[in-house]
Amino acid sequence: MLNFDQRLEFQNKSNDILTVGELLIDMISADYDDDFDCDTFHKFFGGSPSNIAMNVKKLGIHSLVASAVGEDGLGRFLIKHLNNANMDTRCVQQVPYATSMVVVSKSKNTPIPIFYREADYHLEYTPQLEEALMNSKIVHFSCWPISRMPVRNTIEKVIETAKENNTLICFDPNYHPMIWQKGEDGIEYVKSVISKVDIVKPSEDDAERLFGKDTNENHIEKFLKLGAKLVIMTLGKDGAIVSNGVETIKLNTLATEVVDTTGAGDAFWSGFYTAVVKGYTIREALNFGFAVSAYKLKYTGAVVDLPKLEEIKEIYGI
Amino acid sequence: MLNFDQRLEFQNKSNDILTVGELLIDMISADYDDDFDCDTFHKFFGGSPSNIAMNVKKLGIHSLVASAVGEDGLGRFLIKHLNNANMDTRCVQQVPYATSMVVVSKSKNTPIPIFYREADYHLEYTPQLEEALMNSKIVHFSCWPISRMPVRNTIEKVIETAKENNTLICFDPNYHPMIWQKGEDGIEYVKSVISKVDIVKPSEDDAERLFGKDTNENHIEKFLKLGAKLVIMTLGKDGAIVSNGVETIKLNTLATEVVDTTGAGDAFWSGFYTAVVKGYTIREALNFGFAVSAYKLKYTGAVVDLPKLEEIKEIYGI
């Protein structure tokens, strides 16, 4: 059990967190329109695991990104962007497939993205990735890399090695049918992964997609029953409910000003990870998650210029 | 043998030309840069077969497009564009894959496109496609649909049915390794297709990619030896060499003003097709090809506002 007032014990490893998975281009329409009528698009660096890795580095811990991009101009752009953020890119693989892309037409209704998955799901379990993993305290991944072969095999090996090396395994169960292979129902597979990880952070929508309509409490119970040791269910502006299977707590957000919600979830993970690595208790780390998320919400963009965790601590009085 | 002074005899069919293959989005950088550094891109309607189908309609004959797009906003954009050009879209299939896309960073050197092939290669041989084919005088396709399964199967059935129905089969042997599946060498397959078609229009680059460095005359000989009945080898500003296996003629371009070369090859096909359908000899049709191409070269864009063939005839004194 992960006690809320417990500090996580990590072995002495050179890297703090390794994020594994999607690194891609977001191609977003310049204007709002109903259905891809807009002719102008802007390209952005994308992929939640990389955003988390860049965030935690700014907050003050060590991170590495393991992802696959194409041997093409868009792949080089992504690597350059990571380098510019002083990230170590030794685990970014260049593979003979196009750099993955998500095309989005901004919409006042629900925008429906179009997924071009190519390079991202060809991430291989290389000796370099294994070494990075063995030297990391935490490993993080989302549903993207488990949704396709062959990268799914890579994640299975990552989980195996992480368990053997007492690496904390954190999983974003952001299940969405659109990223799965046609004809494959990913729900059962996502559930099988939940049973092997330590911490999950579902949103209410994630939970509903996985388990159908139910109360938050019942959803949390389902994640715990599958085997997750800590379930952080985020509720948007209503904060989060967190349970370790014995105790369930309710936390409020610290957001006072909301300019752009993009990347708020990644900011939460980032504050939480940085705090647990820095020796704060889980309860404190959850508050740091909300503090970093609140800081990010004041600015536009998925990755903003975060201060060190110590400054966050002062600003939000944690 | 296709005699240069011969008029092609077509059976009485309701449609003149059916183009089969790629219908996709061209996502092109707004500025010139070296390697995808530009952040702004513009989306364009793309796919050479559709451009030919729209051109010939403007020139005055009937055309149909058989292509597959995604069940997504970009697919709907492409269909809308065809509808706006008064094209019949009954043979445009909507399939559960993303609409194919080519991303290009404009470069003063050689631009290297990134191919996102999804929906385009899932075109199926449906009863509707077969009916359209049986009612068409000419069928046209490029290397795109033969480069991937399952659409390759569709093209094989198209060739079979076209032969049974005396449909003229025209093939653009625009072989490029980048559109083929990783690890597959498409050259032998392209050659096997050349052996089954009537007319091919290779550029010098196409010929060199297929047969290696050689003289134009030897290249033409190789296309003929494989079984093509008419080889139109285009030489850019130097016109074309055309051979039917017995006689070889040299033709000059009619271009006087070159504003934009995009779509000049499609314009050539379009003029040629419209003229043979309208009963001109092959020699005359080749000149119509150059005339329409010359007209197009004066304007920007892949598809320009072409006049009727009769007006082209007057303008260029054919």
mmCIF file of all heavy atoms in Angstrom, chain B residues 2-38:
data_model
loop_
_atom_site.group_PDB
_atom_site.id
_atom_site.type_symbol
_atom_site.label_atom_id
_atom_site.label_comp_id
_atom_site.label_asym_id
_atom_site.label_seq_id
_atom_site.Cartn_x
_atom_site.Cartn_y
_atom_site.Cartn_z
ATOM 1 N N LEU B 2 -0.100 1.332 -82.379
ATOM 2 C CA LEU B 2 -0.877 2.565 -82.387
ATOM 3 C C LEU B 2 -0.226 3.540 -83.372
ATOM 4 O O LEU B 2 0.771 4.174 -83.085
ATOM 5 C CB LEU B 2 -0.915 3.184 -80.984
ATOM 6 C CG LEU B 2 -1.703 2.401 -79.922
ATOM 7 C CD1 LEU B 2 -1.533 3.027 -78.545
ATOM 8 C CD2 LEU B 2 -3.180 2.338 -80.283
ATOM 9 N N ASN B 3 -0.815 3.621 -84.566
ATOM 10 C CA ASN B 3 -0.292 4.494 -85.614
ATOM 11 C C ASN B 3 -0.506 5.971 -85.246
ATOM 12 O O ASN B 3 -1.565 6.340 -84.748
ATOM 13 C CB ASN B 3 -1.025 4.160 -86.919
ATOM 14 C CG ASN B 3 -0.312 4.769 -88.106
ATOM 15 O OD1 ASN B 3 -0.207 5.997 -88.198
ATOM 16 N ND2 ASN B 3 0.198 3.924 -88.982
ATOM 17 N N PHE B 4 0.510 6.795 -85.525
ATOM 18 C CA PHE B 4 0.411 8.209 -85.136
ATOM 19 C C PHE B 4 -0.725 8.954 -85.838
ATOM 20 O O PHE B 4 -1.223 9.948 -85.326
ATOM 21 C CB PHE B 4 1.737 8.927 -85.394
ATOM 22 C CG PHE B 4 2.791 8.562 -84.386
ATOM 23 C CD1 PHE B 4 3.969 7.930 -84.776
ATOM 24 C CD2 PHE B 4 2.602 8.824 -83.033
ATOM 25 C CE1 PHE B 4 4.934 7.590 -83.838
ATOM 26 C CE2 PHE B 4 3.561 8.484 -82.092
ATOM 27 C CZ PHE B 4 4.734 7.863 -82.492
ATOM 28 N N ASP B 5 -1.094 8.467 -87.037
ATOM 29 C CA ASP B 5 -2.149 9.186 -87.754
ATOM 30 C C ASP B 5 -3.493 8.491 -87.653
ATOM 31 O O ASP B 5 -4.424 8.766 -88.412
ATOM 32 C CB ASP B 5 -1.713 9.397 -89.202
ATOM 33 C CG ASP B 5 -0.486 10.303 -89.237
ATOM 34 O OD1 ASP B 5 -0.548 11.375 -88.608
ATOM 35 O OD2 ASP B 5 0.551 9.897 -89.823
ATOM 36 N N GLN B 6 -3.542 7.612 -86.678
ATOM 37 C CA GLN B 6 -4.751 6.840 -86.447
ATOM 38 C C GLN B 6 -5.642 7.545 -85.421
ATOM 39 O O GLN B 6 -5.154 8.200 -84.515
ATOM 40 C CB GLN B 6 -4.282 5.473 -85.906
ATOM 41 C CG GLN B 6 -5.347 4.489 -85.497
ATOM 42 C CD GLN B 6 -4.723 3.319 -84.702
ATOM 43 O OE1 GLN B 6 -3.510 3.048 -84.796
ATOM 44 N NE2 GLN B 6 -5.529 2.641 -83.919
ATOM 45 N N ARG B 7 -6.960 7.399 -85.644
ATOM 46 C CA ARG B 7 -7.897 7.835 -84.607
ATOM 47 C C ARG B 7 -8.227 6.611 -83.779
ATOM 48 O O ARG B 7 -8.480 5.543 -84.346
ATOM 49 C CB ARG B 7 -9.190 8.367 -85.239
ATOM 50 C CG ARG B 7 -9.050 9.764 -85.781
ATOM 51 C CD ARG B 7 -10.192 10.206 -86.652
ATOM 52 N NE ARG B 7 -9.853 11.517 -87.204
ATOM 53 C CZ ARG B 7 -9.004 11.706 -88.208
ATOM 54 N NH1 ARG B 7 -8.434 10.679 -88.830
ATOM 55 N NH2 ARG B 7 -8.730 12.941 -88.634
ATOM 56 N N LEU B 8 -8.235 6.745 -82.469
ATOM 57 C CA LEU B 8 -8.569 5.584 -81.633
ATOM 58 C C LEU B 8 -10.069 5.327 -81.712
ATOM 59 O O LEU B 8 -10.873 6.265 -81.688
ATOM 60 C CB LEU B 8 -8.150 5.828 -80.180
ATOM 61 C CG LEU B 8 -6.639 5.961 -79.951
ATOM 62 C CD1 LEU B 8 -6.349 6.241 -78.479
ATOM 63 C CD2 LEU B 8 -5.907 4.686 -80.381
ATOM 64 N N GLU B 9 -10.408 4.052 -81.859
ATOM 65 C CA GLU B 9 -11.830 3.692 -81.919
ATOM 66 C C GLU B 9 -12.282 3.320 -80.509
ATOM 67 O O GLU B 9 -11.685 2.447 -79.884
ATOM 68 C CB GLU B 9 -12.035 2.475 -82.834
ATOM 69 C CG GLU B 9 -11.632 2.695 -84.276
ATOM 70 C CD GLU B 9 -12.568 3.669 -84.995
ATOM 71 O OE1 GLU B 9 -13.774 3.683 -84.660
ATOM 72 O OE2 GLU B 9 -12.081 4.430 -85.865
ATOM 73 N N PHE B 10 -13.279 3.987 -80.032
ATOM 74 C CA PHE B 10 -13.824 3.621 -78.724
ATOM 75 C C PHE B 10 -15.234 3.086 -78.891
ATOM 76 O O PHE B 10 -15.976 3.551 -79.762
ATOM 77 C CB PHE B 10 -13.872 4.843 -77.795
ATOM 78 C CG PHE B 10 -12.506 5.382 -77.450
ATOM 79 C CD1 PHE B 10 -12.067 6.598 -77.992
ATOM 80 C CD2 PHE B 10 -11.669 4.692 -76.580
ATOM 81 C CE1 PHE B 10 -10.820 7.101 -77.665
ATOM 82 C CE2 PHE B 10 -10.415 5.198 -76.260
ATOM 83 C CZ PHE B 10 -9.982 6.396 -76.804
ATOM 84 N N GLN B 11 -15.590 2.117 -78.049
ATOM 85 C CA GLN B 11 -16.975 1.666 -78.030
ATOM 86 C C GLN B 11 -17.835 2.785 -77.461
ATOM 87 O O GLN B 11 -17.341 3.671 -76.780
ATOM 88 C CB GLN B 11 -17.103 0.408 -77.158
ATOM 89 C CG GLN B 11 -16.490 -0.818 -77.828
ATOM 90 C CD GLN B 11 -16.464 -2.018 -76.886
ATOM 91 O OE1 GLN B 11 -16.875 -1.926 -75.747
ATOM 92 N NE2 GLN B 11 -15.959 -3.134 -77.391
ATOM 93 N N ASN B 12 -19.109 2.715 -77.759
ATOM 94 C CA ASN B 12 -20.022 3.727 -77.262
ATOM 95 C C ASN B 12 -20.266 3.527 -75.767
ATOM 96 O O ASN B 12 -21.021 2.658 -75.369
ATOM 97 C CB ASN B 12 -21.336 3.658 -78.054
ATOM 98 C CG ASN B 12 -22.217 4.849 -77.744
ATOM 99 O OD1 ASN B 12 -21.740 5.864 -77.220
ATOM 100 N ND2 ASN B 12 -23.496 4.720 -78.051
ATOM 101 N N LYS B 13 -19.559 4.295 -74.948
ATOM 102 C CA LYS B 13 -19.690 4.162 -73.488
ATOM 103 C C LYS B 13 -20.061 5.514 -72.903
ATOM 104 O O LYS B 13 -19.691 6.554 -73.445
ATOM 105 C CB LYS B 13 -18.387 3.656 -72.893
ATOM 106 C CG LYS B 13 -18.057 2.211 -73.297
ATOM 107 C CD LYS B 13 -16.697 1.785 -72.759
ATOM 108 C CE LYS B 13 -16.411 0.322 -73.099
ATOM 109 N NZ LYS B 13 -15.067 -0.077 -72.646
ATOM 110 N N SER B 14 -20.771 5.483 -71.777
ATOM 111 C CA SER B 14 -21.313 6.738 -71.232
ATOM 112 C C SER B 14 -20.236 7.645 -70.649
ATOM 113 O O SER B 14 -20.385 8.860 -70.605
ATOM 114 C CB SER B 14 -22.362 6.436 -70.162
ATOM 115 O OG SER B 14 -21.774 5.670 -69.129
ATOM 116 N N ASN B 15 -19.138 7.054 -70.170
ATOM 117 C CA ASN B 15 -18.089 7.881 -69.575
ATOM 118 C C ASN B 15 -16.833 7.821 -70.443
ATOM 119 O O ASN B 15 -16.540 6.807 -71.071
ATOM 120 C CB ASN B 15 -17.764 7.389 -68.159
ATOM 121 C CG ASN B 15 -16.736 8.278 -67.477
ATOM 122 O OD1 ASN B 15 -16.884 9.508 -67.450
ATOM 123 N ND2 ASN B 15 -15.678 7.680 -66.955
ATOM 124 N N ASP B 16 -16.076 8.916 -70.462
ATOM 125 C CA ASP B 16 -14.865 8.936 -71.279
ATOM 126 C C ASP B 16 -13.646 8.396 -70.528
ATOM 127 O O ASP B 16 -12.985 7.494 -70.999
ATOM 128 C CB ASP B 16 -14.608 10.361 -71.793
ATOM 129 C CG ASP B 16 -15.718 10.820 -72.722
ATOM 130 O OD1 ASP B 16 -16.087 10.030 -73.612
ATOM 131 O OD2 ASP B 16 -16.236 11.931 -72.545
ATOM 132 N N ILE B 17 -13.360 8.977 -69.378
ATOM 133 C CA ILE B 17 -12.164 8.529 -68.665
ATOM 134 C C ILE B 17 -12.431 8.341 -67.176
ATOM 135 O O ILE B 17 -13.096 9.158 -66.543
ATOM 136 C CB ILE B 17 -10.964 9.476 -68.926
ATOM 137 C CG1 ILE B 17 -9.787 9.104 -68.016
ATOM 138 C CG2 ILE B 17 -11.317 10.932 -68.739
ATOM 139 C CD1 ILE B 17 -8.470 9.671 -68.488
ATOM 140 N N LEU B 18 -11.893 7.232 -66.688
ATOM 141 C CA LEU B 18 -11.963 6.933 -65.253
ATOM 142 C C LEU B 18 -10.535 6.979 -64.726
ATOM 143 O O LEU B 18 -9.657 6.278 -65.239
ATOM 144 C CB LEU B 18 -12.549 5.532 -65.047
ATOM 145 C CG LEU B 18 -12.459 4.947 -63.625
ATOM 146 C CD1 LEU B 18 -13.425 5.683 -62.672
ATOM 147 C CD2 LEU B 18 -12.779 3.446 -63.636
ATOM 148 N N THR B 19 -10.288 7.835 -63.740
ATOM 149 C CA THR B 19 -8.960 7.854 -63.118
ATOM 150 C C THR B 19 -9.057 7.142 -61.771
ATOM 151 O O THR B 19 -10.012 7.344 -61.026
ATOM 152 C CB THR B 19 -8.428 9.291 -62.919
ATOM 153 O OG1 THR B 19 -9.237 9.978 -61.974
ATOM 154 C CG2 THR B 19 -8.400 10.059 -64.231
ATOM 155 N N VAL B 20 -8.090 6.298 -61.498
ATOM 156 C CA VAL B 20 -8.131 5.477 -60.287
ATOM 157 C C VAL B 20 -6.879 5.748 -59.464
ATOM 158 O O VAL B 20 -5.757 5.659 -59.974
ATOM 159 C CB VAL B 20 -8.169 3.970 -60.652
ATOM 160 C CG1 VAL B 20 -8.365 3.120 -59.395
ATOM 161 C CG2 VAL B 20 -9.262 3.681 -61.664
ATOM 162 N N GLY B 21 -7.059 6.085 -58.203
ATOM 163 C CA GLY B 21 -5.869 6.205 -57.352
ATOM 164 C C GLY B 21 -5.893 7.333 -56.358
ATOM 165 O O GLY B 21 -6.951 7.728 -55.869
ATOM 166 N N GLU B 22 -4.714 7.861 -56.065
ATOM 167 C CA GLU B 22 -4.505 8.761 -54.932
ATOM 168 C C GLU B 22 -5.329 10.041 -54.993
ATOM 169 O O GLU B 22 -5.331 10.753 -55.979
ATOM 170 C CB GLU B 22 -3.015 9.093 -54.811
ATOM 171 C CG GLU B 22 -2.391 9.944 -55.917
ATOM 172 C CD GLU B 22 -1.990 9.177 -57.167
ATOM 173 O OE1 GLU B 22 -2.438 8.030 -57.353
ATOM 174 O OE2 GLU B 22 -1.224 9.748 -57.982
ATOM 175 N N LEU B 23 -6.021 10.289 -53.886
ATOM 176 C CA LEU B 23 -6.759 11.535 -53.671
ATOM 177 C C LEU B 23 -6.365 11.906 -52.251
ATOM 178 O O LEU B 23 -6.608 11.149 -51.318
ATOM 179 C CB LEU B 23 -8.261 11.269 -53.800
ATOM 180 C CG LEU B 23 -9.220 12.410 -53.467
ATOM 181 C CD1 LEU B 23 -8.922 13.657 -54.269
ATOM 182 C CD2 LEU B 23 -10.667 11.980 -53.728
ATOM 183 N N LEU B 24 -5.698 13.035 -52.090
ATOM 184 C CA LEU B 24 -5.052 13.289 -50.796
ATOM 185 C C LEU B 24 -4.839 14.766 -50.532
ATOM 186 O O LEU B 24 -5.121 15.614 -51.370
ATOM 187 C CB LEU B 24 -3.711 12.544 -50.740
ATOM 188 C CG LEU B 24 -2.812 12.633 -51.976
ATOM 189 C CD1 LEU B 24 -2.071 13.943 -52.013
ATOM 190 C CD2 LEU B 24 -1.826 11.478 -51.986
ATOM 191 N N ILE B 25 -4.365 15.035 -49.333
ATOM 192 C CA ILE B 25 -4.073 16.397 -48.917
ATOM 193 C C ILE B 25 -2.584 16.672 -49.142
ATOM 194 O O ILE B 25 -1.738 15.883 -48.730
ATOM 195 C CB ILE B 25 -4.375 16.579 -47.406
ATOM 196 C CG1 ILE B 25 -5.849 16.318 -47.096
ATOM 197 C CG2 ILE B 25 -3.908 17.960 -46.911
ATOM 198 C CD1 ILE B 25 -6.797 17.383 -47.599
ATOM 199 N N ASP B 26 -2.274 17.771 -49.803
ATOM 200 C CA ASP B 26 -0.899 18.267 -49.833
ATOM 201 C C ASP B 26 -0.805 19.345 -48.760
ATOM 202 O O ASP B 26 -1.541 20.337 -48.807
ATOM 203 C CB ASP B 26 -0.570 18.874 -51.203
ATOM 204 C CG ASP B 26 -0.353 17.806 -52.262
ATOM 205 O OD1 ASP B 26 0.244 16.764 -51.952
ATOM 206 O OD2 ASP B 26 -0.800 18.024 -53.404
ATOM 207 N N MET B 27 0.076 19.127 -47.789
ATOM 208 C CA MET B 27 0.263 20.104 -46.704
ATOM 209 C C MET B 27 1.638 20.736 -46.953
ATOM 210 O O MET B 27 2.669 20.089 -46.771
ATOM 211 C CB MET B 27 0.203 19.354 -45.375
ATOM 212 C CG MET B 27 0.126 20.217 -44.158
ATOM 213 S SD MET B 27 -1.443 21.114 -43.952
ATOM 214 C CE MET B 27 -2.413 19.952 -42.984
ATOM 215 N N ILE B 28 1.622 21.971 -47.427
ATOM 216 C CA ILE B 28 2.846 22.595 -47.939
ATOM 217 C C ILE B 28 3.239 23.800 -47.083
ATOM 218 O O ILE B 28 2.388 24.634 -46.754
ATOM 219 C CB ILE B 28 2.645 22.993 -49.417
ATOM 220 C CG1 ILE B 28 2.283 21.720 -50.233
ATOM 221 C CG2 ILE B 28 3.893 23.663 -49.996
ATOM 222 C CD1 ILE B 28 1.953 21.973 -51.685
ATOM 223 N N SER B 29 4.509 23.880 -46.736
ATOM 224 C CA SER B 29 4.968 24.971 -45.875
ATOM 225 C C SER B 29 4.732 26.323 -46.552
ATOM 226 O O SER B 29 4.840 26.446 -47.778
ATOM 227 C CB SER B 29 6.447 24.805 -45.528
ATOM 228 O OG SER B 29 7.246 25.006 -46.665
ATOM 229 N N ALA B 30 4.423 27.319 -45.740
ATOM 230 C CA ALA B 30 4.137 28.650 -46.275
ATOM 231 C C ALA B 30 5.412 29.296 -46.809
ATOM 232 O O ALA B 30 5.397 29.985 -47.829
ATOM 233 C CB ALA B 30 3.515 29.520 -45.183
ATOM 234 N N ASP B 31 6.515 29.063 -46.112
ATOM 235 C CA ASP B 31 7.780 29.695 -46.504
ATOM 236 C C ASP B 31 8.771 28.646 -46.985
ATOM 237 O O ASP B 31 8.615 27.463 -46.712
ATOM 238 C CB ASP B 31 8.399 30.413 -45.301
ATOM 239 C CG ASP B 31 7.445 31.430 -44.720
ATOM 240 O OD1 ASP B 31 6.782 32.137 -45.504
ATOM 241 O OD2 ASP B 31 7.347 31.500 -43.478
ATOM 242 N N TYR B 32 9.777 29.131 -47.682
ATOM 243 C CA TYR B 32 10.886 28.260 -48.052
ATOM 244 C C TYR B 32 11.779 28.100 -46.832
ATOM 245 O O TYR B 32 12.085 29.063 -46.147
ATOM 246 C CB TYR B 32 11.689 28.881 -49.197
ATOM 247 C CG TYR B 32 10.985 28.765 -50.525
ATOM 248 C CD1 TYR B 32 10.018 29.679 -50.899
ATOM 249 C CD2 TYR B 32 11.277 27.710 -51.390
ATOM 250 C CE1 TYR B 32 9.342 29.555 -52.098
ATOM 251 C CE2 TYR B 32 10.617 27.577 -52.597
ATOM 252 C CZ TYR B 32 9.650 28.501 -52.948
ATOM 253 O OH TYR B 32 8.988 28.363 -54.137
ATOM 254 N N ASP B 33 12.152 26.885 -46.520
ATOM 255 C CA ASP B 33 13.141 26.692 -45.475
ATOM 256 C C ASP B 33 13.916 25.426 -45.777
ATOM 257 O O ASP B 33 13.601 24.699 -46.706
ATOM 258 C CB ASP B 33 12.524 26.668 -44.078
ATOM 259 C CG ASP B 33 11.576 25.504 -43.896
ATOM 260 O OD1 ASP B 33 11.790 24.441 -44.486
ATOM 261 O OD2 ASP B 33 10.594 25.674 -43.161
ATOM 262 N N ASP B 34 14.937 25.193 -44.969
ATOM 263 C CA ASP B 34 15.803 24.087 -45.310
ATOM 264 C C ASP B 34 15.252 22.747 -44.886
ATOM 265 O O ASP B 34 15.388 21.758 -45.579
ATOM 266 C CB ASP B 34 17.200 24.302 -44.707
ATOM 267 C CG ASP B 34 18.015 25.212 -45.598
ATOM 268 O OD1 ASP B 34 17.632 25.348 -46.773
ATOM 269 O OD2 ASP B 34 18.994 25.803 -45.117
ATOM 270 N N ASP B 35 14.611 22.695 -43.711
ATOM 271 C CA ASP B 35 14.277 21.371 -43.205
ATOM 272 C C ASP B 35 13.137 21.422 -42.193
ATOM 273 O O ASP B 35 13.310 21.128 -41.026
ATOM 274 C CB ASP B 35 15.539 20.762 -42.556
ATOM 275 C CG ASP B 35 15.355 19.277 -42.290
ATOM 276 O OD1 ASP B 35 14.462 18.670 -42.910
ATOM 277 O OD2 ASP B 35 16.096 18.742 -41.457
ATOM 278 N N PHE B 36 11.958 21.748 -42.695
ATOM 279 C CA PHE B 36 10.759 21.723 -41.861
ATOM 280 C C PHE B 36 10.868 22.636 -40.634
ATOM 281 O O PHE B 36 10.310 22.341 -39.587
ATOM 282 C CB PHE B 36 10.428 20.282 -41.430
ATOM 283 C CG PHE B 36 9.905 19.447 -42.565
ATOM 284 C CD1 PHE B 36 10.774 18.748 -43.392
ATOM 285 C CD2 PHE B 36 8.538 19.380 -42.826
ATOM 286 C CE1 PHE B 36 10.292 17.998 -44.450
ATOM 287 C CE2 PHE B 36 8.051 18.620 -43.877
ATOM 288 C CZ PHE B 36 8.936 17.928 -44.699
ATOM 289 N N ASP B 37 11.617 23.730 -40.777
ATOM 290 C CA ASP B 37 11.680 24.694 -39.685
ATOM 291 C C ASP B 37 10.447 25.592 -39.686
ATOM 292 O O ASP B 37 10.065 26.142 -38.662
ATOM 293 C CB ASP B 37 12.946 25.549 -39.804
ATOM 294 C CG ASP B 37 14.166 24.765 -39.374
ATOM 295 O OD1 ASP B 37 14.030 23.933 -38.457
ATOM 296 O OD2 ASP B 37 15.242 24.963 -39.970
ATOM 297 N N CYS B 38 9.843 25.722 -40.843
ATOM 298 C CA CYS B 38 8.664 26.580 -40.979
ATOM 299 C C CYS B 38 7.509 26.018 -40.147
ATOM 300 O O CYS B 38 7.297 24.814 -40.109
ATOM 301 C CB CYS B 38 8.275 26.642 -42.455
ATOM 302 S SG CYS B 38 6.826 27.634 -42.773
#
